[in-house]
């Protein structure tokens, strides 16, 4: 049966997080299609993966017999994350926008799984694997909006997930999530509600379509 790798990175728990809530809807729809499937789940906000160290980086360029104990341990931690990505039939990532970019914990996960000559390069080991990113944000950074030029989540993840890892990338974008909390954005609440409703609909639909596609 199919395996879904699910990564959450929001610092907010449960329904307080738009990215978690929408990703959870995607996952539930996925599990309905794959009741006997496997979900590999990592909450990297609650349990962060190690940031890349010199030992983790240089171990790749040394033969196993020449690695120091520190290099071997650091590289083994990277390999575990890489193997989770490689065995996945699909990937789901919750990526809220913090200060115009992704959470540092998600950047750390990406730094671990991007390995030239294995997951990145001419023949990436997870090439073609579908990845759905729930890219929530407090405002709107859509084309034509005043802050369009500050959108560094989708642009960055497209370069990394699609350009480096060769994944088949798709986005779900719940926006204006701060509108219900920020009085200055109160007039935008209807737009927020429409965006949220559309995000949940997209999550259920895309999960079902992806499950059906992989079943063929």
């Amino acid at each position: 049966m199919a395996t879904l790798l699910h990564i959450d990175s929001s610092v907010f728990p449960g329904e307080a997080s738009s990215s978690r809530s929408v990703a959870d809807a995607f996952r539930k729809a996925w599990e309905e299609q794959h009741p006997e499937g496997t979900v590999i789940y990592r909450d990297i906000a609650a349990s962060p993966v190690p940031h890349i160290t010199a030992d983790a980086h240089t171990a790749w360029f040394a033969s196993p017999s020449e690695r120091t104990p520190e290099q071997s341990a650091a590289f083994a931690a990277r390999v575990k994350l890489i193997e989770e990505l490689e065995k996945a039939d699909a990937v789901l990532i919750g990526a809220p926008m913090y200060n115009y970019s992704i959470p540092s914990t998600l950047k750390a996960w990406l730094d671990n799984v991007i390995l030239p000559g294995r997951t990145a390069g001419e023949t990436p080991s997870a090439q073609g694997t579908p990845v759905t990113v729930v890219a929530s944000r407090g405002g709107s950074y859509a084309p034509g909006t005043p802050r369009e030029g500050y959108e560094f989540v989708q642009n960055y993840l497209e370069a990394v997930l699609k350009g480096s890892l060769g994944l088949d990338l798709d986005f779900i974008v719940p926006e204006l999530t701060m509108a219900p909390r920020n009085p200055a954005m109160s007039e935008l609440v209807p737009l927020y509600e429409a965006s949220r409703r559309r995000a949940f609909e997209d999550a259920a639909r895309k999960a079902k379509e992806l499950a059906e596609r992989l079943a063929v």
Side-chain angles (χ1 to χ4, degrees):
M1 297 297 292
T3 296
L4 175 69
L5 173 60
H6 179 185
I7 307 292
D8 266 332
S9 62
S10 173
V11 298
F12 296 102
E15 294 182 0
S17 165
S18 291
S19 66
R20 286 182 185 272
S21 297
V22 175
D24 188 57
F26 183 103
R27 175 174 167 174
K28 287 179 179 177
W30 169 274
E31 290 176 326
E32 288 175 0
Q33 301 296 314
H34 295 287
E36 298 179 3
T38 299
V39 175
I40 302 171
Y41 180 63
R42 280 193 175 271
D43 184 343
I44 55 176
S47 300
V49 301
H51 283 275
I52 285 292
T53 62
D55 286 328
H57 178 73
T58 58
W60 175 242
F61 302 99
S63 65
S65 62
E66 295 176 343
R67 291 172 186 161
T68 65
E70 293 77 15
Q71 285 178 316
S72 296
F75 191 67
R78 288 190 73 181
V79 169
K80 182 177 180 179
L81 298 173
I82 288 169
E83 289 177 343
E84 289 178 349
L85 173 64
E86 292 173 335
K87 71 171 61 172
D89 296 291
V91 181
L92 172 64
I93 300 175
M97 177 186 283
Y98 293 157
N99 298 315
Y100 309 120
S101 187
I102 62 173
S104 62
T105 50
L106 182 55
K107 177 63 163 60
W109 180 80
L110 288 166
D111 286 342
N112 274 279
V113 300
I114 297 172
L115 190 62
R118 181 165 175 173
T119 60
E122 293 185 4
T123 56
S125 55
Q127 185 170 17
T129 301
V131 54
T132 303
V133 176
V134 180
S136 61
R137 61 276 316 273
S140 179
Y141 301 80
T145 60
R147 293 197 172 186
E148 175 184 357
Y150 291 85
E151 207 298 310
F152 301 113
V153 172
Q154 289 178 262
N155 291 342
Y156 171 72
L157 291 178
E158 183 166 358
V160 174
L161 296 174
K162 184 178 179 180
S164 294
L165 296 175
L167 306 183
D168 181 8
L169 177 61
D170 192 17
F171 285 103
I172 299 173
V173 186
E175 61 178 11
L176 299 168
T177 62
M178 287 298 296
R181 307 174 190 174
N182 185 350
M185 298 175 67
S186 59
E187 64 181 18
L188 299 175
V189 168
L191 293 177
Y192 153 74
E193 292 174 341
S195 176
R196 181 177 174 84
R197 182 170 58 253
R198 185 167 55 249
F200 278 102
E201 291 171 352
D202 286 348
R205 176 178 55 82
K206 290 173 182 282
K208 183 178 180 181
E209 290 175 351
L210 179 57
E212 291 174 347
R213 189 178 90 191
L214 294 176
V216 174

